[in-house]
Amino acid sequence: MKATARRLLVLAIALSATARGGVFDETLAKARDGDAIAQYEAAEAYAKGLGVGKDLKQAMDWYRQAAEQGSVEAQMALGGLLVAGKGVPRNSAEAAKWFVMAAEKGNAAAQVQVARMHLAGAGLAKDPVEAYKWARLAADKGDKTARQIVTFILPKLSAEERSLGESLVKEIRDQKASDDAAKGTPPV
């Protein structure tokens, strides 16, 4: 009885892998046709070994293609791999490029990462005012880490630097409101 159960389990796993492979093949075909969502999904599959062998080089290539098309998720993943040096040489400046793109689209996690990079001078110029700006934008979305960064930075800023930081935050908020109005998106 135990041998039969084991055989059934092995058969189920094999069938499951085959089914995932079929889905992956469809995703890969869409990715090759330029579908950014499929490119991100292919990257995730390669990065995690889902339905395909784990291959960080392939993952990087697909993340990059999706990121270049504006996928915030791909920009974040690509930045994460580059900053950590996973599958590629560590490159903080390249990582910062992708994090900034995602941050400019309003992604709070990216805004926190950009704030950290400005604080440390890693991949971006060491700039406490820029760090404050990005942390403040993420904190306003409820990000706890961002709030901690703002609390850390504020006492270190002069009155002039605080004022500049606040004006940069206002400028971004005003631009977003203008963009939303142009799209017909009601204010939140």
Side-chain angles (χ1 to χ4, degrees):
M1 183 73 175
K2 288 183 181 179
T4 303
R6 253 184 271 147
R7 285 187 191 118
L8 287 174
L9 180 60
V10 168
L11 179 61
I13 291 169
L15 288 173
S16 175
T18 301
R20 282 194 311 266
V23 171
F24 178 74
D25 290 342
E26 291 173 23
T27 300
L28 197 55
K30 288 179 184 176
R32 287 182 178 134
D33 286 340
D35 182 314
I37 293 170
Q39 290 169 341
Y40 174 74
E41 290 172 353
E44 286 284 286
Y46 278 118
K48 297 173 182 169
L50 303 172
V52 65
K54 191 172 182 177
D55 184 336
L56 288 178
K57 183 184 179 329
Q58 283 289 325
M60 288 290 296
D61 291 344
W62 287 115
Y63 279 137
R64 188 176 307 280
Q65 288 182 52
E68 287 170 351
Q69 291 195 65
S71 168
V72 171
E73 295 84 3
Q75 291 166 347
M76 289 295 296
L78 186 56
L81 290 174
L82 287 162
V83 82
K86 290 187 178 177
V88 293
R90 186 179 301 227
N91 187 335
S92 294
E94 176 82 2
K97 169 185 147 182
W98 297 109
F99 286 135
V100 168
M101 285 182 190
E104 288 173 343
K105 291 180 182 166
N107 182 282
Q111 292 169 337
V112 168
Q113 187 62 39
V114 171
R116 286 177 171 159
M117 293 177 94
H118 273 300
L119 270 178
L124 294 168
K126 191 168 188 166
D127 186 336
V129 174
E130 280 293 308
Y132 172 79
K133 172 185 82 175
W134 290 112
R136 177 65 193 278
L137 289 166
D140 289 350
K141 294 178 180 131
D143 189 284
K144 291 179 184 179
T145 302
R147 282 190 226 137
Q148 291 172 339
I149 293 170
V150 168
T151 301
F152 173 78
I153 295 172
L154 267 177
K156 296 172 176 27
L157 296 178
S158 68
E160 183 179 309
E161 289 171 324
R162 265 188 220 172
S163 178
L164 175 59
E166 287 300 326
S167 68
L168 292 171
V169 169
K170 183 180 181 324
E171 187 178 303
I172 289 174
R173 285 186 192 138
D174 291 348
Q175 182 61 51
K176 182 180 179 342
S178 174
D179 292 347
D180 288 348
K183 293 177 193 170
T185 305
V188 178

